[in-house]
Amino acid sequence: MVRQVRAVRTRQALIQAAAEAFAHDGYARASLPAISRRAGVSAGALHFHFPSKDALAGEIESAAARTVDEMAERFRSTGGSALGMLVAAIRQLVVAFAADPVVRAGFALSGDPTRDGGAVVVDSWHGWVREMAGQAQDAGELTDGVSPECVAMAVVAATVGFEVLGSRDPDWLSNERMLEFWTSLLPRLAAAPGRTVEAAASRPPVAAG
Amino acid sequence: MVRQVRAVRTRQALIQAAAEAFAHDGYARASLPAISRRAGVSAGALHFHFPSKDALAGEIESAAARTVDEMAERFRSTGGSALGMLVAAIRQLVVAFAADPVVRAGFALSGDPTRDGGAVVVDSWHGWVREMAGQAQDAGELTDGVSPECVAMAVVAATVGFEVLGSRDPDWLSNERMLEFWTSLLPRLAAAPGRTVEAAASRPPVAAG
């Protein structure tokens, strides 16, 4: 039992250390010895849990996708305006870029040309955003002439861009910037700019559950 | 004289080959032997022009920044609505992501975690976009409550995101998608949605000069 707990902790430490290394140094430059040192575990322990750097990156991509899916699910279950939920989820994701190395690394690996993986996190995020934008349209929340596909494109491109820009300059991910961004821009897409969207934009992000 | 012309051609071939390699494989994975092979020149010729991979990447970053600056300058000199110029320049930039490996690589290197360079292209682009958004505000073209800083953030994050997403799936850079994107979204930021912005969004991109 004690051994199992220790194994889970070692695995978690390796995932965190690898996420930081992948996001900071890029997939190609991140080295397994540096990751095991950073996690405070032996090279043997790393290889016991993850046979390769590819396996480690794959685990981070899956974990990031799970976190994003769970976050999206939490927002869905709060009900309310679909456009409001969308804004709140985007803000939460940008907070996660600054606070959760695994989510950050999941997005970073999706766009890292030195990593030939899929883009599972981005695809999953795109799917959810598209769905919410569709619900917003069905509920008459989108202003005329704005399609759900375009809202989804804009949101996904901007979130991917924020992750990239934030890795050079953390100011891109600051709460003040995000607040200014959304209170200024998103109400323009709403059919009746008003309470729902602005309230979602100015509400502090939900604590991770 | 013949020797000079040949040297210029060799240099250009190396820059193009390196740009393709950096954007496709990432900075860390792109190798000098593969770049000289792709350019059809000897390793010695590569080293004669560029003493290191860092020098080659720096040259591409500068060349991309020059191209983006020239493009921006061309749009500025056409006069007309600042918001319209902004939309037209963004579309032109996305066309360049698909058509000009040097511009593409300049943006890709800015966000590549395996490249510890500056982000000269993105910074230069951000400066120009911010200036145009400021002009749009001064001319009363921006709708109330939308700040030029926010317009610039949205535009820069989205363009960086489009480059990243387009490198996985070229459909993100297609003309149809861009047209749909801008005709749908940008007029929402305009104080008087109408001719100028929609005309700029639907006009085919200007041919490179």
Side-chain angles (χ1 to χ4, degrees):
Chain A
M1 191 59 186
V2 171
R3 193 178 292 173
Q4 266 187 332
V5 170
R6 205 185 302 145
V8 169
R9 276 196 199 142
T10 299
R11 198 180 162 84
Q12 279 308 318
L14 284 165
I15 290 173
Q16 290 289 316
E20 285 162 14
F22 290 148
H24 186 265
D25 303 328
Y27 180 71
R29 280 204 307 185
S31 79
L32 293 181
I35 290 169
S36 59
R37 262 200 312 278
R38 196 194 277 248
V41 308
S42 68
L46 189 155
H47 288 288
F48 172 78
H49 287 281
F50 300 101
S52 65
K53 191 156 80 168
D54 177 57
L56 200 38
E59 175 62 32
I60 286 169
E61 287 159 343
S62 307
R66 277 196 304 275
T67 302
V68 171
D69 287 349
E70 284 164 16
M71 192 190 78
E73 208 44 58
R74 261 201 317 279
F75 280 107
R76 197 202 306 271
S77 65
T78 60
S81 142
L83 209 51
M85 268 189 275
L86 194 52
V87 182
I90 296 161
R91 289 193 62 214
Q92 184 82 42
L93 181 61
V94 173
V95 167
F97 286 158
D100 184 339
V102 173
V103 171
R104 172 71 163 274
F107 271 78
L109 287 167
S110 285
D112 187 335
T114 70
R115 163 86 181 146
D116 296 322
V120 55
V121 198
V122 172
D123 290 345
S124 165
W125 171 238
H126 195 171
W128 185 81
V129 170
R130 174 65 189 77
E131 190 195 326
M132 285 299 113
Q135 284 190 18
Q137 189 184 45
D138 293 345
E141 294 178 43
L142 285 190
T143 183
D144 286 347
V146 171
S147 74
E149 285 76 18
C150 278
V151 170
M153 273 176 81
V155 165
V156 173
T159 40
V160 165
F162 274 116
E163 190 282 315
V164 170
L165 292 157
S167 70
R168 294 246 168 214
D169 176 3
D171 194 39
W172 277 91
L173 307 178
S174 80
N175 228 333
E176 295 71 37
R177 271 210 146 175
M178 272 298 107
L179 187 59
E180 196 195 347
F181 185 72
W182 291 114
T183 46
S184 166
L185 289 190
L186 217 97
R188 308 300 141 205
L189 305 180
R195 291 227 196 115
T196 29
V197 175
E198 274 159 25
S202 61
R203 204 159 47 203
V206 176
Chain B
M1 191 59 185
V2 171
R3 191 178 292 171
Q4 268 187 329
V5 171
R6 204 185 301 145
V8 169
R9 276 196 200 140
T10 300
R11 197 181 164 83
Q12 281 306 320
L14 283 165
I15 290 173
Q16 291 288 316
E20 285 162 14
F22 290 147
H24 186 265
D25 303 328
Y27 180 71
R29 281 204 306 187
S31 79
L32 293 181
I35 291 169
S36 60
R37 261 199 312 278
R38 195 193 278 247
V41 309
S42 69
L46 189 156
H47 288 289
F48 171 78
H49 287 281
F50 299 101
S52 64
K53 191 156 80 167
D54 176 58
L56 201 38
E59 175 62 33
I60 286 169
E61 287 160 344
S62 307
R66 276 196 305 276
T67 302
V68 170
D69 287 349
E70 284 164 17
M71 192 191 80
E73 207 45 59
R74 261 200 319 277
F75 280 107
R76 197 202 307 270
S77 65
T78 60
S81 142
L83 209 50
M85 269 188 277
L86 195 52
V87 182
I90 296 161
R91 289 192 62 214
Q92 185 80 42
L93 182 62
V94 173
V95 168
F97 286 159
D100 183 339
V102 174
V103 171
R104 171 72 162 274
F107 271 78
L109 287 168
S110 285
D112 187 335
T114 69
R115 163 84 181 146
D116 297 321
V120 55
V121 199
V122 172
D123 290 345
S124 165
W125 170 240
H126 194 171
W128 186 81
V129 171
R130 172 66 188 75
E131 191 195 325
M132 285 301 113
Q135 284 188 19
Q137 188 182 46
D138 293 344
E141 294 177 44
L142 286 189
T143 183
D144 286 349
V146 172
S147 73
E149 286 76 18
C150 278
V151 170
M153 273 176 81
V155 165
V156 173
T159 39
V160 165
F162 274 115
E163 190 282 316
V164 170
L165 292 157
S167 70
R168 295 245 169 214
D169 175 3
D171 193 39
W172 277 91
L173 307 178
S174 79
N175 228 332
E176 295 70 39
R177 270 210 147 174
M178 273 297 107
L179 188 59
E180 195 195 348
F181 185 72
W182 290 113
T183 46
S184 166
L185 288 189
L186 217 94
R188 309 301 141 206
L189 305 180
R195 292 228 194 117
T196 28
V197 176
E198 273 160 24
S202 60
R203 204 159 46 204
V206 175

